Amino acid sequence: MKEHAQWDSTWAFIFAMIGAAVGLGNIWRFSYVVYSNGGGSFFIPYFIAIAIMGIPFLILEYGVGFSFKTAFTEIFKKIKPQFEFIAWILIFLISIVLIYYMVIISWDIFYLASSFTFSWGTDPAAYFIHNVGGTRNLSDFINFFIPISAGVIITWFILWFISHRSIDKGIGMASKILIPSVFVIMAIIIVFAVNLPGAGIGINALIHPDWNALLDINIWLVAFSQIIFSLGMGEAMAITYASYLKEDAKLTDNVLIVIASNSSFEICTAFGVFSILGYMSATSGTPMVQLVSEGTGLIFVVFPKIFNVMGLVGHILAPLFFLAVMFAGISSSFAFFEPIICSISSKVDAERKRLVTILAIIGCAGSLILTSGISSYLVEIIDAFVNQFGILFLVAVQCIIFGWYWGAEKIIPVLNRQSTVKVGFLWKTIIKYILPVFILVIWLIGIISLLFSSTSFELTVDAIILVLVLALSAVFYKKESI
């Protein structure tokens, strides 16, 4: 029986968990979500979603991981042997997320290098297409962006270098450095941003409330979806990290620290982002509605345009911004990788360094495929399918397995033993009844949207992913543990 790893301190765990939560989505997704879903009024469903879903489910994950102190797949196996197959499906879905996530980080590294000379020129949109993301023309698949491929190799090397070490000397130490660095860099950017001419225009656009939006059920569903993806709920990260905790851990207290840090970061970042957009609107005369974007459009197209017109300040902020995105992405990649390492380690007899090396090589090969001439299109397809179809459904499944089949009440004494904040009947009710219903509703809406908006090529890619994940899950499920 392999000895299970352990954090050297609670703060190593907290920084690692904050790193898992604070990722690319906080920087490029949250501000757009707020703006396009009621502005200031969106914060009402947002905080309600944190209260009745984010906090309770993260407490559940911490409690499960802390109680079993073993790999994610082994936990499901111990609850019921047949459930191990479900766990492997999630592990391989996370593997796919990690593969395309590393590609996005490599895009950012490319832009970090470009930010010193502003080599994106006067047309950042064309620069992104021709140098990074490619087109939607399938014939361009045979073309590859060599600098992005090199960036992928670099990002996987960084992930390997840190992850092949022990938990406390690898992820723990790296998180203690990266997370404070991300917060400090973003704080500098935000202070600069809110003092720019026209910043008030952007902030007002962000927080201007549309109270009628609260009557739209879709706004509430978006709020719950944001919390799920922002905190990485149900993705085996929290369960795996919590399994490394020492016996004196204050579980529910730690949950509140992580969620408060994550929400503070994404809310403050949204103010910074919209302050910069407001500056662009004021100086160029471009209406805010034409500037606001999410994902790659915001980070790799809109922001370079803004940095172009900011003069000296732009030359200072641009490298800092892309450096913060890189640090946030790398810290989240640890959290994706660790459940994969831990679960596969429970099945094969291999030392951590050798296993991490093999997995990094395989993952890097997968990421390199996504640096083709349709890179951005492929990432978009895979991201939508894996998150909307796979992971979201498995979050609801975990609620049912842990809440009903295993029994969430079993871990209430464990959760309350050292913690200042206690849980009880209300928490159990949320886990068993409210969460599964909310998440399944969100999942059904996502699936309907996915099926009716996808092309034949997109559905083909989705089918390939599904078959691959199910096949690999079956192989590992049937393999006897060593």
Side-chain angles (χ1 to χ4, degrees), residues 182-229:
V182 171
F183 276 72
V184 169
I185 292 171
M186 288 307 300
I188 293 171
I189 292 173
I190 291 165
V191 170
F192 262 112
V194 297
N195 287 289
L196 289 170
I201 297 173
I203 294 174
N204 183 64
L206 174 68
I207 65 175
H208 181 73
D210 176 8
W211 299 112
N212 291 327
L214 296 178
L215 302 177
D216 184 354
I217 186 63
N218 289 316
I219 303 301
W220 291 81
L221 294 176
V222 168
F224 278 79
S225 296
Q226 172 62 27
I227 297 304
I228 289 171
F229 297 125

Side-chain angles (χ1 to χ4, degrees), residues 324-335:
V325 173
M326 184 183 76
F327 283 174
I330 290 173
S331 66
S332 293
S333 69
F334 302 150

Side-chain angles (χ1 to χ4, degrees), residues 36 62 64 117 130 246 265 279-280 293 328 394 420 448 454:
S36 58
Y62 281 25
V64 170
T117 60
H130 297 309
K246 296 179 180 179
F265 180 86
Y279 169 82
M280 180 66 171
S293 180
L394 291 175
T420 305
I448 292 171
S454 298

Side-chain angles (χ1 to χ4, degrees), residues 232-273:
M233 287 174 52
E235 296 180 6
M237 302 174 186
I239 288 179
T240 302
Y241 278 1
S243 73
Y244 301 145
L245 279 168
K246 296 179 180 179
E247 290 300 322
D248 61 350
K250 297 182 177 182
L251 298 176
T252 56
D253 297 5
N254 291 342
V255 166
L256 297 180
I257 293 172
V258 170
I259 289 183
S261 300
N262 178 71
S263 294
S264 299
F265 180 86
E266 63 184 7
I267 291 171
C268 290
T269 298
F271 276 83
V273 167

Side-chain angles (χ1 to χ4, degrees), residues 381-452:
I381 296 170
I382 298 169
D383 176 65
F385 177 75
V386 171
N387 284 297
Q388 292 182 27
F389 178 80
I391 292 175
L392 195 56
F393 178 72
L394 291 175
V395 172
V397 170
Q398 288 177 73
C399 278
I400 295 168
I401 291 176
F402 295 140
W404 286 93
Y405 196 91
W406 182 58
E409 58 275 358
K410 290 181 180 179
I411 56 173
I412 290 178
V414 175
L415 293 168
N416 290 340
R417 189 168 63 221
Q418 299 287 344
S419 301
T420 305
V421 180
K422 312 294 183 183
V423 298
F425 175 77
L426 177 60
W427 174 79
K428 184 178 71 173
T429 302
I430 290 172
I431 293 298
K432 296 182 73 170
Y433 299 98
I434 298 175
L435 282 190
V437 173
F438 264 106
I439 295 170
L440 285 173
V441 168
I442 295 171
W443 179 75
L444 286 171
I445 291 173
I447 287 301
I448 292 171
S449 173
L450 189 69
L451 292 176
F452 283 94

